[in-house]
Amino acid sequence: MFRTQKQLLIRDTSDVQMNGLRCTVTGPRQIYSEDFSGQIPDSLIVVPQIKNLSEIGGKFFVSKIVSGNACAEISAFATKEQAVISWLILPAIDLDHSANEILRFSTKDGFDNGAVLQVLVSTNYDGGNTPWKARWSVLPAIVAKGSVTGYAKQWVSSGDVSLNHLKGKVSIAFRYEGNDPPVQAAKLTTTFRIDNIVVIGN
């Protein structure tokens, strides 16, 4: 104490460990966001540092405008491919300067017949064009499904997908898997739309 004022005396810098979060900002802050609003409709998604890749089948994520809203879309429909695997990978996100990180996004499905959209995370993806060589874990996100006769009317929220168990630079990917063989009953051509991707943290 100095008169009526409380003071903190640091004898040595080893007394203080500056490993926690700074107190300059209160509440969650946005670490990353993408809403595809700057894309050319019906063209391949081209966003700096986002990877839009085909592993099998030559199909890529494209930009769509739906009711005035831009989004990313993927489907194996009309590809005539026995297998379609496509990746949309966000730029690496550094989680070392935040805490309690959460991923959120929205999806719609259309003419759902069993194709799959997974949300994956990797800590060793090198940012190259062969993400399937990295180790990926599935994130427990909610993805739209069940719209068999048309497109979902409402966007489905992913829920709050925790990234709090991860540290360092991580990569988040949307991986689509479907097909379009000649036999109608074997087709997996579900259309998925993705929008409003956000990562927040404290």
Side-chain angles (χ1 to χ4, degrees):
M1 295 282 291
F2 177 73
R3 295 180 181 170
T4 59
Q5 187 177 48
K6 292 181 180 180
Q7 295 185 333
L8 175 65
L9 177 63
I10 300 173
R11 297 169 300 172
D12 189 270
T13 54
S14 62
D15 289 345
V16 181
Q17 307 227 348
M18 306 292 284
N19 297 327
L21 296 176
R22 294 175 181 262
C23 301
T24 54
V25 178
T26 58
R29 63 182 178 88
Q30 186 171 282
I31 300 171
Y32 177 81
S33 69
E34 181 57 57
D35 63 5
F36 307 105
S37 59
Q39 299 299 291
I40 300 172
D42 302 311
S43 299
L44 297 186
I45 295 289
V46 180
V47 178
Q49 300 181 4
I50 284 184
K51 289 288 187 177
N52 187 4
L53 303 169
S54 170
E55 180 178 350
I56 301 173
K59 188 69 175 180
F60 299 86
F61 285 78
V62 299
S63 174
K64 288 289 181 180
I65 302 294
V66 180
S67 300
N69 182 70
C71 61
E73 181 181 284
I74 187 72
S75 175
F77 180 72
T79 61
K80 299 182 180 179
E81 295 288 342
Q82 293 293 327
V84 173
I85 301 177
S86 306
W87 298 71
L88 191 70
I89 309 173
L90 306 183
I93 299 172
D94 190 347
L95 302 181
D96 276 346
H97 305 290
S98 56
N100 304 316
E101 300 90 354
I102 290 172
L103 166 69
R104 293 176 182 150
F105 60 92
S106 300
T107 53
K108 279 188 178 185
D109 65 324
F111 300 97
D112 185 2
N113 58 3
V116 175
L117 181 70
Q118 291 181 310
V119 188
L120 310 174
V121 65
S122 175
T123 57
N124 75 334
Y125 169 56
D126 62 6
N129 294 332
T130 54
W132 44 92
K133 293 183 178 180
R135 292 189 303 273
W136 296 88
S137 300
V138 178
L139 290 171
I142 299 169
V143 175
K145 63 179 181 179
S147 301
V148 177
T149 59
Y151 289 96
K153 294 182 179 179
Q154 303 295 328
W155 288 93
V156 174
S157 171
S158 63
D160 290 349
V161 183
S162 177
L163 304 175
N164 194 42
H165 59 292
L166 301 164
K167 293 299 176 187
K169 290 186 178 181
V170 303
S171 297
I172 296 170
F174 294 85
R175 181 183 182 273
Y176 176 88
E177 185 169 357
N179 63 37
D180 189 26
V183 180
Q184 183 67 34
K187 292 179 182 290
L188 303 173
T189 57
T190 311
T191 298
F192 287 101
R193 292 169 175 166
I194 307 167
D195 200 10
N196 296 323
I197 304 168
V198 176
V199 177
I200 63 171
N202 296 120

